[in-house]
Amino acid sequence: MKVLLEVRNLRKYFPVKKKTFRESRQYVHALEDISFDLREGETLGVVGESGSGKSTLGRVILRLETPTDGTITYDGNDVTSLSGKDLRAFRECFQMVFQDPYSSLNPRLTVGNAIAEPMRIHGKVRSHNEAKSAVSEMLLRVGLQPEMANLYPHSFSGGQRQRIGIARALSLGPKVLICDEAVSALDVSVQSQVLNLFNRLKRELNLTYIFIAHDLSVVRYISDRIMVMYLGQIMELAPKEQLFETMYHPYTESLISASPEPSTKTRKGRIILKGEVPSSLNPPKGCRFHTRCFKEMPICSETEPELREVAPGHFVRCHLCAEKGRG
Ligand code: SF4
């Protein structure tokens, strides 16, 4: 599969406001040394607890946040240095679907105007009639009726509002959708309808997805490959089946053991992690997971493990895999 986006050594630190003049500047280490490829036509699931950096990753890729360091290459260009019309052109190709479409939809705009707005801004429609027919097409695509274009967001259910958010994201004809907790706010039955919609749209429009969620069963359902994040770093990245059958990282093991469909490896029972996720203001030295790991070794609190390819396409950041990675 062709590589669509190449992310290398990406870092994002957010400065924290100083309380006193003498205090030294502190930073939230939201992303640390993130490298991966996004392949055309795949769904890459990104899973992790809150504070893992998964949403920041989506926002940095979309250039809603500027990275502190690293490169993001799309179509031969480093996205991190784009500006003006090049950045606008990039944003036509990459769009975001948010968790709560209600807060991203202007309550004073009809749904038709909300969907047409990006097309008008980017000069994709020139007349009222062109906008109207494009909006009708978008609404039908996401399983809504064209007449609904005249209604306001408050008239819709959560699932319908998410469909409107998807229609708006699709209005510029993107290649990639970054879905950030896009079904988390929905009831389970509505969740599966929206996930099926994402799958249908992917087939019909040849889309590529980065699907960010804290719920592993959602990510498992929709993804081709899964990236597991913890405290701003990739802990494991592998094709879905491979991850569920031969996960190497203790954190992945704990996540899978807690999911409704554990794998053969984790069927012995749920692994309860000790403690809380440490603060990303001051991440632990060595392996970031060592304060909670049930397989910790002396080296783990001293030396940071690298992300190694332990089998074709299967990457792990753990000292337990050091020997496998060398082969
Ligand atoms: Fe656990 Fe050590 Fe592996 Fe980190 S490097 S996940 S602490 S075994």
Side-chain angles (χ1 to χ4, degrees), residues 13-286:
Y13 298 165
F14 293 102
V16 178
K17 211 171 172 192
K18 291 200 281 183
K19 288 196 190 100
T20 62
F21 178 67
R22 282 162 186 258
E23 208 177 66
S24 58
R25 170 73 76 202
Q26 281 195 302
Y27 291 90
V28 171
H29 296 227
L31 294 176
E32 190 75 75
D33 196 21
I34 301 284
S35 296
F36 69 94
D37 291 337
L38 178 68
R39 302 169 191 161
E40 191 164 29
E42 76 167 335
T43 299
L44 174 65
V46 182
V47 71
E49 292 164 280
S50 121
S52 61
K54 55 192 191 310
S55 294
T56 306
L57 177 62
R59 295 179 62 79
V60 170
I61 291 175
L62 273 180
R63 283 287 314 275
L64 299 174
E65 303 282 357
T66 308
T68 307
D69 201 3
T71 58
I72 303 169
T73 309
Y74 172 67
D75 227 3
N77 294 313
D78 183 3
V79 171
T80 59
S81 56
L82 293 182
S83 60
K85 78 174 183 355
D86 294 334
L87 183 57
R88 274 165 58 110
F90 169 74
R91 289 211 172 121
E92 285 182 17
C93 299
F94 282 69
Q95 287 286 308
M96 196 147 190
V97 178
F98 297 93
Q99 174 174 1
D100 179 8
Y102 196 58
S103 60
S104 61
L105 291 172
N106 183 340
R108 287 190 206 91
L109 276 188
T110 62
V111 158
N113 279 325
I115 297 171
E117 194 181 35
M119 294 189 276
R120 288 198 185 103
I121 292 170
H122 284 254
K124 298 279 176 194
V125 287
R126 273 173 230 94
S127 66
H128 177 74
N129 280 348
E130 245 184 81
K132 200 172 160 194
S133 79
V135 167
S136 300
E137 193 192 321
M138 288 300 136
L139 286 170
L140 285 169
R141 256 210 197 288
V142 298
L144 297 173
Q145 297 310 310
E147 308 80 72
M148 292 175 165
N150 300 321
L151 302 176
Y152 289 87
H154 67 81
S155 320
F156 293 89
S157 68
Q160 286 175 322
R161 286 203 295 260
Q162 192 52 293
R163 286 171 192 265
I164 295 162
I166 297 168
R168 190 177 146 96
L170 290 176
S171 64
L172 295 176
K175 287 190 172 164
V176 178
L177 283 191
I178 300 184
C179 309
D180 187 7
E181 300 283 8
V183 297
S184 307
L186 306 175
D187 295 342
V188 175
S189 61
V190 183
Q191 265 190 3
S192 58
Q193 290 165 13
V194 176
L195 288 172
N196 290 336
L197 171 66
F198 275 122
N199 275 337
R200 174 168 67 74
L201 292 171
K202 183 180 159 182
R203 284 194 307 275
E204 289 175 0
L205 303 170
N206 296 321
L207 292 169
T208 302
Y209 293 144
I210 296 181
F211 205 92
I212 298 165
H214 67 277
D215 184 341
L216 186 60
S217 47
V218 165
V219 168
R220 183 179 195 172
Y221 180 78
I222 199 152
S223 307
D224 301 306
R225 289 193 303 149
I226 297 180
M227 180 195 290
V228 178
M229 290 187 68
Y230 183 82
L231 262 187
Q233 287 185 324
I234 299 174
M235 294 291 140
E236 191 156 8
L237 169 62
K240 174 172 66 179
E241 287 75 21
Q242 208 168 321
L243 188 89
F244 273 83
E245 282 318 310
T246 52
M247 85 264 354
Y248 290 104
H249 201 286
Y251 181 57
T252 313
E253 220 178 302
S254 73
L255 286 182
I256 294 178
S257 79
S259 74
E261 302 163 72
S263 78
T264 38
K265 195 170 166 185
T266 61
R267 222 161 259 158
K268 283 167 268 162
R270 183 168 179 182
I271 299 163
I272 311 277
L273 296 177
K274 57 185 176 185
E276 300 290 323
V277 182
S279 163
S280 46
L281 264 178
N282 193 12
K285 188 175 167 230

Side-chain angles (χ1 to χ4, degrees), residues 249-251 287 289-290 293 295-297 300 305 317-320:
H249 201 286
Y251 181 57
C287 170
F289 185 58
H290 85 84
C293 184
K295 291 185 178 172
E296 189 191 359
M297 304 174 288
C300 302
R317 187 188 290 277
C318 175
H319 289 305
L320 289 168

Side-chain angles (χ1 to χ4, degrees), residues 309-327:
E309 190 167 17
V310 297
H314 193 150
F315 298 84
V316 186
R317 187 188 290 277
C318 175
H319 289 305
L320 289 168
C321 299
E323 291 309 315
K324 291 186 188 79
R326 266 178 213 131

